[in-house]
Amino acid sequence: MARLSKLNRSIHGSIALITGAASGMGEATAYLFADEGARLALVDLNAEALEGVVETIRANGGEAESAAFDISDPAAIRQAVERFASHFGGIDILVNNAGISIPAPIDSQDYEDAWQRSFDVLISAQQRFVRAALPYLRASDSARIVNIASTEGLGATKYGSPYTAAKHAVIGLTRSLAVELGPEGITVNCICPGPIHTGMTQAIPMDAKQEFARRRVALRRYADPEEVAHGTLNFVLPASSFMTGVALPVDGGLTIRNA
């Protein structure tokens, strides 16, 4: 039958830049976007793992380029974004996914280092990628920015204040940029993942994960990274043109559960 709706739900041919794309949620997002026909610019610190992701995408008929570097380096961000934009002819989608987690009690000797590194990677790099990509996003017909925050940006856990503070800042950055860039038609949203099976949670024993999920998560389990990636995909669709400034928990009901 003929379509009854008007808006486009395809990112086929869109140019998407994804950071932290070599593992976890970033890798899952890269594969999902590739399945949807996007042309991918992928960034990660781990060059070997990143190349493996690129090879997998290409082997399945997709298009991907990569750049491996430390995203705390502002000059490297500018250079990579310029190279990607030159190669693909622009940038339509930016997914600021790269992340780290450094536990640090407030009175620990290495707290200052944990604080600085956390903010360099989790928030400063996000605004730098936005600033570098902005000229190209402004030229796009459906520019989308998605920043990955965390349920830690909606609450807190002890011994993790550098991470928690940075994730609160991601939500603030997202909301402010949504207001600032909204008149240009650029949407800015963020995903707040809850308990996910990623490298960051790999060291947690499985029985501890299961106990936590039973106590705190409405769905009583950890998520697969691809389940988060689908939330990201929804934000970047051309049809998602009236959603901006949203901090979306993808957490199995963790943030709504009182008991």
Side-chain angles (χ1 to χ4, degrees), residues 133-193:
L134 194 53
Y136 310 106
L137 293 169
R138 282 175 165 151
S140 173
D141 292 334
S142 55
R144 304 283 182 263
I145 299 170
V146 180
N147 300 321
I148 304 302
S150 169
T151 50
E152 286 295 301
L154 302 169
T157 302
K158 65 181 180 180
Y159 308 134
S161 56
Y163 182 86
T164 300
K167 291 302 187 178
H168 275 73
V170 170
I171 295 175
L173 176 69
T174 298
R175 289 172 170 167
S176 184
L177 291 181
V179 174
E180 182 175 344
L181 299 177
E184 301 180 62
I186 300 173
T187 69
V188 190
N189 295 288
C190 71
I191 299 285
C192 298

Side-chain angles (χ1 to χ4, degrees), residues 214-248:
R214 282 194 297 268
R215 290 189 298 105
R216 295 290 309 281
V217 183
L219 292 179
R220 297 193 172 187
R221 63 179 178 85
Y222 271 52
D224 182 86
E226 187 180 326
E227 294 179 284
V228 182
H230 279 276
T232 303
L233 175 62
N234 283 330
F235 273 143
V236 305
L237 298 175
S240 299
S241 50
F242 206 61
M243 290 193 294
T244 197
V246 176
L248 175 68

Side-chain angles (χ1 to χ4, degrees), residues 72-153:
S72 66
D73 182 345
I77 290 175
R78 291 192 300 270
Q79 292 166 7
V81 170
E82 289 173 4
R83 180 168 68 82
F84 285 141
S86 176
H87 174 83
F88 287 109
I91 295 172
D92 302 300
I93 298 165
L94 170 62
V95 180
N96 274 314
N97 168 83
I100 56 171
S101 179
I102 308 174
I106 188 66
D107 58 354
S108 61
Q109 291 186 343
D110 58 354
Y111 185 85
E112 289 286 348
D113 290 339
W115 178 275
Q116 188 62 56
R117 181 63 178 164
S118 295
F119 270 70
D120 282 346
V121 172
L122 297 174
I123 182 65
S124 294
Q126 290 199 4
Q127 58 89 358
R128 287 167 179 154
F129 270 103
V130 171
R131 284 166 54 81
L134 194 53
Y136 310 106
L137 293 169
R138 282 175 165 151
S140 173
D141 292 334
S142 55
R144 304 283 182 263
I145 299 170
V146 180
N147 300 321
I148 304 302
S150 169
T151 50
E152 286 295 301

Side-chain angles (χ1 to χ4, degrees), residues 25 193-202 209 222-225 228 250-251:
M25 293 181 295
I196 316 295
H197 289 297
T198 68
M200 285 189 188
T201 62
Q202 190 172 7
K209 289 181 178 179
Y222 271 52
D224 182 86
V228 182
V250 183
D251 64 357

